[in-house]
Amino acid sequence: MKILMVLTSHDELGDTGNKTGFWLEEFAAPYYVFKDAGADVTLASPKGGQPPLDPNSDSDDAQTDATRRFKDDEAAQKALGSTKVLGDVDADGFDAIFYPGGHGPLWDLANDADSKRLIETFWASDRPVGAVCHAPAVFRDTEHEGKPLVSGKRVTGFTNTEEEGVGLTDVVPFLVEDMLKKNGGEYSKGDDWASYVLVDGKLVTGQNPASSEEAAKEMLALLK
């Protein structure tokens, strides 16, 4: 099994002066789900190299078993520090593609032409596509047969009330929940901050950081 994980390269939280990036748990938990299952994991980002970490995801209260494991894992840290440039990545040879969230993807991956190309290629060839929390932002412009890729699909992603809860409703360029609905997705959600994952065909979406491990496990089940 070869899995491509795509992370954001964007580190500015709108015009707040604060930093953003990818959310550590949403990378670490799926990464170890995949690795522990024997998968070969390749990491990529629009700019390549070390993707920016959302500092809030590195706070004491955001730590999980997976993030603590990552902090003791030199090989994983080295892999994360040398992600491939997304534009150089070919879909051939990979069995699935997975996007961890964090607010960063709202600004770069949502309108990244290389990301769009990869997702549409994976989808057209019936390979699993997964995204968790804010990462379903990557489905804003993706299409299949002339319609939004999520149209008619059961999907979830970071809720409007969760965005309100972190006080960023007026900072983000768009709301994930609203965008998925606008694109024809059959959006649903669980309780705020609780794990909630949907699988529709080869599409796997998770609502929030708590959903990242389950989303990865669901994706793995599609590959077995």
Side-chain angles (χ1 to χ4, degrees):
M1 284 184 298
K2 290 187 187 301
I3 299 175
L4 178 63
M5 291 183 77
V6 182
L7 298 107
T8 182
S9 292
H10 184 89
D11 69 350
E12 296 291 330
L13 188 61
D15 51 13
T16 62
N18 295 324
K19 292 295 184 186
T20 188
F22 73 94
W23 198 262
L24 186 55
E25 157 72 10
E26 295 171 33
F27 160 71
Y31 179 80
Y32 288 120
V33 167
F34 298 148
K35 292 292 276 188
D36 291 348
D40 180 356
V41 180
T42 297
L43 307 179
S45 62
K47 294 180 180 174
Q50 174 72 54
L53 174 67
D54 186 317
N56 290 324
S57 74
D58 206 20
S59 64
D60 288 344
D61 62 354
Q63 299 310 307
T64 64
D65 288 346
T67 65
R68 285 186 281 270
R69 180 176 171 186
F70 173 74
K71 288 178 187 298
D72 291 331
D73 187 343
E74 284 184 24
Q77 291 169 27
K78 188 176 175 187
L80 183 66
S82 54
T83 66
K84 294 184 182 301
V85 175
L86 195 57
D88 296 339
V89 177
D90 195 310
D92 288 352
F94 290 105
D95 300 304
I97 188 169
F98 187 90
Y99 288 80
H103 281 87
L106 295 172
W107 278 275
D108 65 350
L109 291 171
N111 49 29
D112 185 281
D114 295 306
S115 175
K116 182 176 186 289
R117 165 181 60 84
L118 285 165
I119 291 170
E120 290 176 352
T121 301
F122 273 85
W123 191 255
S125 52
D126 201 34
R127 285 176 279 175
V129 175
V132 69
C133 197
H134 284 90
V138 301
F139 302 123
R140 190 176 74 168
D141 296 334
T142 53
E143 296 185 343
H144 179 63
E145 295 177 345
K147 293 193 301 188
L149 189 145
V150 297
S151 179
K153 304 277 188 307
R154 294 185 306 118
V155 287
T156 191
F158 206 60
T159 68
N160 290 352
T161 47
E162 286 169 330
E163 202 67 82
E164 205 175 297
V166 296
L168 294 173
T169 303
D170 296 329
V171 173
V172 294
F174 63 94
L175 296 167
V176 173
E177 177 180 334
D178 287 356
M179 178 276 292
L180 290 170
K181 289 175 178 173
K182 183 181 168 203
N183 277 5
E186 294 176 7
Y187 181 90
S188 66
K189 58 189 178 181
D191 293 337
D192 283 2
W193 314 114
S195 178
Y196 186 75
V197 174
L198 288 175
V199 182
D200 192 328
K202 294 290 174 74
L203 182 65
V204 180
T205 49
Q207 180 178 316
N208 49 32
S211 313
S212 54
E213 186 170 331
E214 189 189 337
K217 287 178 177 174
E218 291 287 2
M219 185 169 223
L220 213 50
L222 292 176
L223 289 169
K224 286 182 172 170

